[in-house]
């Protein structure tokens, strides 16, 4: 499957859902997502995507800080934990049922509660579900931006992945991760054919508040529009860009106090979703309508024609000049200390030779000393 463009398909129909959540209400938001996934599937979409942290909404619209009333902050943070998604769980099973009924792969942003016993950390996560309703995997945002760090922990290397499916190779990054040059390169190196880019809105610098919506034609004042075109061309992939939407009537009564307080800014959550071809052209222009579904037919030949000119994984690469090192596993908080679990000291042959000559020790004796010290753990 890996050598066939789009899994051997001539084309794949995709959908980007630009919908408002029921803010901080996980059950009702999942119910809405279920309906929208089925609608997109009934219209022939085989890949359906949502915006960043769609379930149960992007928490950093609420700009909490040390000056926030304690009871207000506490209620919100507890509410965020209680409305975050466990992976896997009944929540993912419901979304899986929707994907199965739609016959579509689904990528949806969610707030994810940590599955580590004892932890209540929330992550900004992309959840990947296959067309049979099974969870393929997840991706946790590596670096929350600015005040997002109040709400989310940091992801790790364990889920820098691209999923090889029968409709093509699917990967994704969250918001300004797409500006992390090396991480974006790692996704390209994994052979993406569909890149899912998710955001909380389409913004520009405001006058009274730092961020306000850019709903101008093409939304060109926001850096994401230029970025997704560049990534599409560099990766030779289709980019499905999903932007958040939120209105005052999307807040349940429980959260009206937060909504109407002085620490909330969702003015810039007015959409801006789009779909971009591998040539960097819009297949679906930036959209600023509420509860809109954008569709596009993605043709395999669009990838082939771009890669005939610029193939960043083939004739337009110079790995002898520059290479990228990426960890394959995340880090655990503890490991069992034993002879087999102690990490081995690695020293380049040239460095061993230099030490040997400088201290007049034979290479054989030097290697023996390093091996003994490694076994005893004295080097660590």
């Amino acid at each position: 499957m890996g050598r066939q463009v789009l899994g051997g398909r001539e084309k794949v129909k995709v959908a980007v859902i630009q919908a408002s959540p029921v803010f901080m209400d996980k059950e009702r938001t999942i119910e809405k997502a279920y309906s929208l996934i089925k609608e997109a599937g009934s219209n022939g979409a085989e890949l359906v995507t949502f915006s960043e942290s769609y379930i149960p909404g992007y928490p950093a619209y609420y700009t909490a800080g040390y000056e926030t009333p304690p009871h207000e902050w506490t209620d919100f943070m507890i509410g965020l934990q209680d409305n975050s998604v466990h992976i896997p769980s009944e929540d993912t099973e419901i979304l899986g049922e929707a994907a199965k009924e739609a016959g579509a792969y689904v990528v949806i942003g969610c707030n994810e509660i940590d599955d580590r016993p004892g932890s209540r950390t929330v992550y900004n996560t992309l959840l990947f579900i296959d067309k049979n309703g099974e969870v393929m995997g997840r991706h946790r945002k590596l670096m929350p931006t600015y005040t997002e760090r109040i709400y989310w922990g940091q992801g790790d290397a364990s889920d820098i992945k691209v999923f090889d499916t029968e409709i093509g190779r699917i990967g994704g990054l969250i918001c300004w991760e797409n500006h992390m040059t090396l991480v974006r390169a790692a996704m390209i190196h994994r052979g993406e054919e569909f890149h899912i880019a998710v955001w909380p809105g389409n913004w520009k610098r405001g006058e009274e508040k730092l961020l306000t919506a850019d709903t101008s034609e093409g939304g060109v004042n926001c850096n994401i529009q230029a970025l997704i075109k560049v990534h599409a061309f560099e990766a030779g992939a289709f980019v499905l860009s999903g932007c958040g939407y939120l209105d005052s009537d999307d807040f349940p009564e429980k959260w009206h106090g937060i909504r109407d307080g002085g620490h909330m800014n969702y003015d810039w959550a007015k959409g801006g979703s789009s779909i971009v071809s591998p040539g960097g052209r819009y297949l679906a222009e930036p959209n600023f309508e509420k509860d809109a579904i954008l569709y596009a037919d993605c043709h395999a030949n669009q990838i082939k024609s771009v890669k005939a000119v610029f193939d960043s994984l083939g004739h337009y690469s110079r790995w002898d000049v520059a290479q990228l090192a990426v960890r394959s596993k995340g880090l655990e908080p503890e490991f069992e200390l034993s002879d087999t679990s102690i990490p081995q000291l690695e020293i380049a042959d040239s460095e061993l030779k230099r030490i040997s000559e400088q201290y007049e020790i034979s290479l054989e004796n030097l290697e023996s000393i390093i091996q003994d010290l490694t076994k005893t753990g004295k080097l660590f």
Side-chain angles (χ1 to χ4, degrees):
M1 193 187 304
R3 293 193 180 185
Q4 293 282 340
V5 176
L6 301 188
R9 299 290 195 87
E10 179 183 335
K11 65 179 179 179
V12 174
K13 187 172 184 178
V14 302
V16 175
I17 294 177
Q18 179 172 279
S20 60
V22 182
F23 191 73
M24 294 290 283
D25 188 324
K26 177 178 64 174
E27 284 74 22
R28 290 168 65 191
T29 301
I30 290 176
E31 182 180 343
K32 183 173 182 178
Y34 192 112
S35 176
L36 291 166
I37 292 167
K38 287 179 62 179
E39 178 182 347
S42 69
N43 288 321
E46 296 183 84
L47 173 59
V48 180
T49 70
F50 288 77
S51 60
E52 177 177 0
S53 58
Y54 178 72
I55 306 170
Y58 177 74
Y61 296 137
Y62 178 50
T63 58
Y66 282 122
E67 79 288 355
T68 308
H71 70 278
E72 183 180 290
W73 179 90
T74 301
D75 288 349
F76 190 79
M77 299 303 282
I78 292 173
L80 178 61
Q81 293 180 35
D82 290 344
N83 285 278
S84 293
V85 175
H86 285 270
I87 301 175
S89 66
E90 182 180 348
D91 298 330
T92 61
E93 289 177 2
I94 294 171
L95 293 168
E97 289 175 12
K100 188 173 182 178
E101 287 190 36
Y105 292 85
V106 173
V107 184
I108 187 166
C110 64
N111 291 274
E112 180 207 355
I113 194 75
D114 197 358
D115 51 6
R116 190 188 307 279
S119 173
R120 299 297 297 173
T121 292
V122 176
Y123 294 93
N124 181 351
T125 297
L126 273 179
L127 172 63
F128 295 80
I129 300 173
D130 70 21
K131 71 174 201 173
N132 297 314
E134 300 296 324
V135 173
M136 293 192 293
R138 68 185 175 201
H139 169 68
R140 291 172 170 174
K141 188 176 183 183
L142 293 171
M143 179 52 66
T145 306
Y146 196 40
T147 54
E148 291 178 356
R149 297 172 197 177
I150 295 171
Y151 302 105
W152 293 320
Q154 296 180 354
D156 60 32
S158 63
D159 55 18
I160 304 296
K161 295 178 181 177
V162 169
F163 300 94
D164 195 0
T165 77
E166 67 179 57
I167 63 169
R169 298 178 61 80
I170 304 169
L173 294 175
I174 301 168
C175 202
W176 276 3
E177 278 190 316
N178 288 285
H179 287 295
M180 297 173 72
T181 305
L182 298 182
V183 174
R184 196 164 61 81
M187 300 302 291
I188 293 173
H189 291 167
R190 282 157 177 72
E192 287 182 309
E193 292 171 332
F194 295 106
H195 178 77
I196 316 304
V198 297
W199 323 84
N202 192 79
W203 58 87
K204 63 181 179 181
R205 183 180 176 86
E207 294 297 328
E208 296 182 3
K209 295 183 178 180
L210 181 62
L211 298 178
T212 189
D214 175 22
T215 57
S216 62
E217 184 175 359
V220 295
N221 295 305
C222 185
N223 53 51
I224 73 176
Q225 301 301 339
L227 182 281
I228 58 177
K229 293 180 179 181
V230 169
H231 184 82
F233 180 72
E234 291 182 350
F238 296 94
V239 175
L240 282 61
S241 178
C243 298
Y245 204 109
L246 194 66
D247 278 337
S248 61
D249 59 1
D250 296 316
F251 290 79
E253 185 176 354
K254 177 180 180 179
W255 302 111
H256 283 186
I258 296 286
R259 179 196 67 182
D260 301 333
H263 300 286
M264 177 65 77
N265 179 18
Y266 57 93
D267 297 345
W268 51 287
K270 292 294 178 282
S273 303
S274 64
I275 303 172
V276 180
S277 76
R281 296 180 179 179
Y282 287 121
L283 297 176
E285 298 274 346
N287 184 292
F288 301 99
E289 301 171 14
K290 185 174 183 177
D291 292 346
I293 303 181
L294 286 64
Y295 295 97
D297 287 326
C298 301
H299 293 262
N301 282 348
Q302 291 174 290
I303 292 178
K304 295 174 185 178
S305 62
V306 168
K307 286 187 177 288
V309 179
F310 180 85
D311 186 352
S312 58
L313 286 175
H315 67 251
Y316 224 96
S317 59
R318 283 297 303 276
W319 299 323
D320 58 318
V321 175
Q323 291 180 301
L324 179 65
V326 183
R327 293 185 184 275
S328 60
K329 297 181 180 179
L331 297 178
E332 296 294 331
E334 61 181 60
F335 65 90
E336 182 180 351
L337 188 62
S338 65
D339 287 346
T340 57
S341 63
I342 295 174
Q344 299 299 304
L345 183 66
E346 295 183 3
I347 302 177
D349 291 342
S350 59
E351 184 65 9
L352 282 173
K353 184 177 180 181
R354 183 194 65 78
I355 295 172
S356 171
E357 292 175 351
Q358 180 176 347
Y359 295 101
E360 298 180 349
I361 302 174
S362 70
L363 277 174
E364 183 178 353
N365 287 339
L366 181 58
E367 290 172 349
S368 177
I369 291 170
I370 291 173
Q371 187 176 22
D372 289 344
L373 288 173
T374 299
K375 287 181 178 179
T376 63
K378 298 297 185 181
L379 288 175
F380 304 98

